[in-house]
């Protein structure tokens, strides 16, 4: 088991991790797969047909470690792995020099064919979703996409979505997601290279081949019309959504909107009754179902149902460098 990790599934298949409350950890809550530096020629990999469903994961990090998320995968080319109907929030990485990677859902090491759908991810110190494809020494394959569909990604402190690697392989289908933002600049200053909704480390000639974006809803409470807020940072350039749809790869993110409020019941606003509260169910008047074919789901159903366990409070084992970010 990785130090500080709650649940680790290694080279194993047909496991179900369902309806757990996992919290107060110094590293990722769930680690799936161990195909590190996978090049297709190593040991056999049987990390397939695993289901991570209806889990509530929070208070992960918290400001102590880096390169982690609520869920981390290294499944290689195996199929049938599913991340569905979970609620992940308050994931915080080490804010010190060299610290990085407080992600919600972290598909690492070229993980392929992982279905990510109907999840709520919010309050992450880096991004809600990240995909990492090895640039050298890894397999170079086209057509190994991960369906990332019908999720809510909110309040990523550095960006909302991130992709690392520059290989020209199609490895993400990002469709019918709601991406929600409330700031114009991240709290980490110069330590953050990612500003805006979507960040990609590819070059201007190859990065658009890496993903397929369609019919997503992007909304910034700080800049609803996205006059100041940059939509995407990619290949060393920044784009508005209109520019992104037209250039350099016409057709990206067709059917998406940037100025339509998804109308959550209460998304971290003090106007909901005092302290910030989080209820990401949609109001009846929300246009998300009709505009982007978003399928409403109830994030409060994630986690244990009965009985509710209340462990005694324990002092932190390490000094927390960052207790609150959001």
């Amino acid at each position: 088991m990785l130090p500080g990790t709650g649940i680790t599934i290694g080279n194993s298949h047909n496991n179900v991790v369902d309806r757990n409350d996992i919290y107060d950890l110094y590293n990722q809550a769930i680690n799936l797969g161990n195909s590190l530096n996978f090049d297709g020629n190593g040991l056999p990999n049987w990390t397939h047909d695993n289901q991570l469903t209806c889990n509530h994961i929070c208070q992960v990090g918290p400001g102590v470690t880096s390169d982690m998320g609520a869920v981390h995968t290294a499944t290689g080319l195996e199929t049938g792995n599913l991340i569905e109907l979970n609620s992940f929030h308050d994931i915080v990485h080490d804010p010190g020099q060299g610290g990085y990677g407080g992600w919600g859902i972290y598909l690492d090491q070229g993980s392929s064919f992982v279905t990510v759908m109907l999840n709520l991810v919010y309050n992450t110190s880096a991004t809600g979703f990240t995909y990492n494809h090895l640039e050298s020494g890894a397999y170079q394959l086209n057509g190994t996409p991960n369906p990332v569909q019908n999720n809510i990604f909110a309040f990523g402190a550095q960006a909302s979505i991130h992709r690392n690697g520059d290989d020209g392989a199609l490895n993400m289908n990002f469709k019918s997601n709601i991406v929600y933002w409330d700031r114009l600049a991240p709290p980490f200053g110069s330590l953050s290279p990612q500003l805006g909704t979507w960040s990609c480390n590819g070059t201007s000639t190859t990065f658009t081949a890496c993903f397929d974006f369609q019919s997503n809803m992007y909304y910034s409470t700080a800049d609803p019309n996205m006059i100041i807020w940059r939509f995407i940072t990619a290949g060393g350039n920044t784009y508005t959504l209109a520019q992104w749809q037209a250039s350099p790869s016409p057709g990206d993110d067709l059917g998406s909107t940037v100025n339509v409020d998804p109308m959550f019941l209460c998304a971290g606003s003090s106007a909901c009754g005092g302290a910030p509260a989080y209820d990401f169910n949609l109001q009846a008047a929300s246009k998300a179902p009709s505009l982007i074919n978003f399928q409403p789901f109830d994030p409060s159903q994630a986690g244990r149902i009965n009985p509710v366990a209340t462990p005694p409070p324990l002092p932190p084992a390490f000094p927390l460098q960052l207790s609150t970010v959001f």
Side-chain angles (χ1 to χ4, degrees):
M1 177 179 291
L2 297 174
T5 300
I7 297 173
T8 290
I9 299 172
N11 198 358
S12 181
H13 59 85
N14 292 96
N15 298 283
V16 177
V17 181
D18 181 72
R19 292 203 177 278
N20 299 281
D21 287 325
I22 307 174
Y23 58 96
D24 194 16
L25 296 168
Y26 292 108
N27 210 279
Q28 49 250 10
I30 301 176
N31 180 72
L32 176 63
N34 56 6
S35 293
L36 303 178
N37 302 313
F38 177 67
D39 61 6
N41 299 311
L43 296 174
N45 177 19
W46 294 289
T47 313
H48 61 82
D49 294 292
N50 296 287
Q51 299 182 23
L52 312 180
T53 53
C54 297
N55 298 290
H56 177 215
I57 295 174
C58 63
Q59 299 171 26
V60 174
V64 175
T65 61
S66 290
D67 194 21
M68 55 79 192
V71 170
H72 170 269
T73 70
T75 57
L77 292 175
E78 292 300 321
T79 61
N81 294 303
L82 174 67
I83 303 173
E84 183 180 53
L85 287 170
N86 301 282
S87 178
F88 305 145
H89 61 94
D90 295 285
I91 317 297
V92 182
H93 71 268
D94 176 5
Q97 186 173 3
Y100 70 99
W103 294 303
I105 299 174
Y106 179 11
L107 304 190
D108 194 12
Q109 299 286 320
S111 293
S112 300
F113 309 113
V114 180
T115 298
V116 178
M117 63 186 301
L118 300 171
N119 299 285
L120 167 65
V121 185
Y122 67 98
N123 285 4
T124 55
S125 60
T127 68
F129 176 85
T130 189
Y131 179 85
N132 180 44
H133 196 294
L134 301 180
E135 297 183 48
S136 61
Y139 56 91
Q140 301 292 312
L141 295 174
N142 290 310
T144 58
N146 297 278
V148 182
Q149 299 176 1
N150 214 109
N151 303 280
I152 298 171
F153 299 106
F155 307 133
Q158 292 181 350
S160 295
I161 312 298
H162 173 244
R163 184 194 181 279
N164 185 53
D166 185 10
D167 47 52
L170 175 62
N171 40 49
M172 188 194 309
N173 295 111
F174 195 85
K175 184 178 180 180
S176 298
N177 299 286
I178 297 177
V179 179
Y180 197 81
W181 190 270
D182 68 341
R183 64 189 73 198
L184 296 177
F188 295 107
S190 61
L191 294 179
S192 171
Q194 305 155 5
L195 302 172
T197 304
W198 163 247
S199 174
C200 178
N201 288 4
T203 68
S204 59
T205 58
T206 63
F207 69 82
T208 54
C210 300
F211 37 76
D212 175 26
F213 275 37
Q214 298 179 46
S215 300
N216 300 291
M217 180 172 285
Y218 306 98
Y219 188 74
S220 166
T221 61
D223 187 19
N225 294 317
M226 299 181 83
I227 297 172
I228 301 173
W229 181 36
R230 63 179 79 175
F231 170 66
I232 180 170
T233 302
N237 300 306
T238 61
Y239 304 87
T240 65
L241 179 60
Q243 292 170 333
W244 175 238
Q245 290 172 328
S247 173
S249 177
D252 286 307
D253 243 324
L254 295 182
S256 295
T257 66
V258 295
N259 57 0
V260 180
D261 188 343
M263 299 181 67
F264 298 123
L265 285 177
C266 186
S269 171
S270 59
C272 300
Y278 299 96
D279 186 341
F280 289 91
N281 286 290
L282 299 179
Q283 298 180 38
S286 172
K287 296 182 179 180
S290 60
L291 288 180
I292 64 168
N293 197 31
F294 184 83
Q295 176 185 342
F297 62 96
D298 184 0
S300 68
Q301 297 303 304
R304 290 166 58 93
I305 298 176
N306 187 46
V308 176
T310 306
L314 295 174
F318 297 92
L320 306 185
Q321 299 187 55
L322 189 65
S323 58
T324 58
V325 177
F326 315 100

